[in-house]
Amino acid sequence: MLAAMMTAANLGARVTGWGFVVFTAGSIAWMIVGLTSGQANLLATNGFLTLVNLIGAWRWLGKQRAYEDGGKSAAEASRRSAYPTLFTATGIAGMPVAGNDGAPLGKAVEALVSCENARVSYVVVSSGGVGGIDEELRAVPSEDLAFACDGMKLKRGRAWFEGLPLLAEGDWPATASLQA
């Protein structure tokens, strides 16, 4: 259960990777039970799961961790510069979003990037609800957001934000301007 919570929480490559390590330990333990009790099916199933879990640990503690570390080092170097200009694109999800008065509005859950010019078209902002239950999703055009290294701020007021149409689950617009 601990390993499942570690991987499902999506708290970064290290936590997810260690979740796979815990899964691996569990599948090895069940292989031992299968071996000592003569349960070939238990042994075979957990042998396969051990292989899958080892691949997960390698991917999340090796490759993905290296990607995250590289992005974080670039962002940290940018923050130390006279004019910070970088944050990771994957870091947009979860960034706090504040109104133009500085009051918290919600958090970014995704950014949609234009294929034509590689610019952020809009950011989906979640507000209300707890833990994703009863949350409201809205598409905020990138030109209405001020991006910073550790959050975003609306250039308009809360009333404007709350007047944006709610997004239907799994049915987001092609561009923020098409949501009227």
Side-chain angles (χ1 to χ4, degrees):
M1 289 187 301
L2 176 65
M5 288 173 35
M6 291 171 74
T7 55
N10 195 22
L11 297 174
R14 281 184 177 78
V15 174
T16 300
W18 281 105
F20 276 107
V21 170
V22 174
F23 272 136
T24 301
S27 61
I28 289 171
W30 280 111
M31 284 175 51
I32 293 169
V33 170
L35 184 64
T36 59
S37 64
Q39 297 180 56
N41 287 343
L42 187 61
L43 179 64
T45 301
N46 281 284
F48 176 74
L49 289 175
T50 298
L51 176 65
V52 169
N53 292 328
L54 287 171
I55 291 169
W58 169 80
R59 174 166 177 346
W60 289 98
L61 287 177
K63 299 308 273 173
Q64 192 64 34
R65 180 209 41 83
Y67 300 153
E68 283 185 11
D69 288 351
K72 285 179 184 176
S73 72
E76 287 171 12
S78 172
R79 285 183 180 190
R80 288 189 302 269
S81 71
Y83 302 100
T85 59
L86 297 175
F87 60 88
T88 62
T90 55
I92 287 178
M95 268 190 171
V97 178
N100 63 354
D101 61 355
L105 283 178
K107 67 177 179 169
V109 296
E110 187 64 86
L112 285 292
V113 178
S114 168
C115 296
E116 183 180 317
N117 58 19
R119 292 202 167 112
V120 174
S121 175
Y122 67 90
V123 174
V124 176
V125 176
S126 167
S127 61
V130 176
I133 299 170
D134 288 333
E135 70 182 353
E136 295 178 336
L137 301 177
R138 292 177 174 85
V140 179
S142 61
E143 59 268 13
D144 291 311
L145 288 166
F147 291 82
C149 291
D150 51 5
M152 293 175 234
K153 190 173 184 178
L154 273 182
K155 295 178 181 176
R156 298 178 183 232
R158 178 181 288 273
W160 175 84
F161 172 76
E162 291 174 349
L164 290 172
L166 296 177
L167 299 179
E169 185 173 324
D171 188 22
W172 295 356
T175 67
S177 61
L178 294 179
Q179 55 176 319

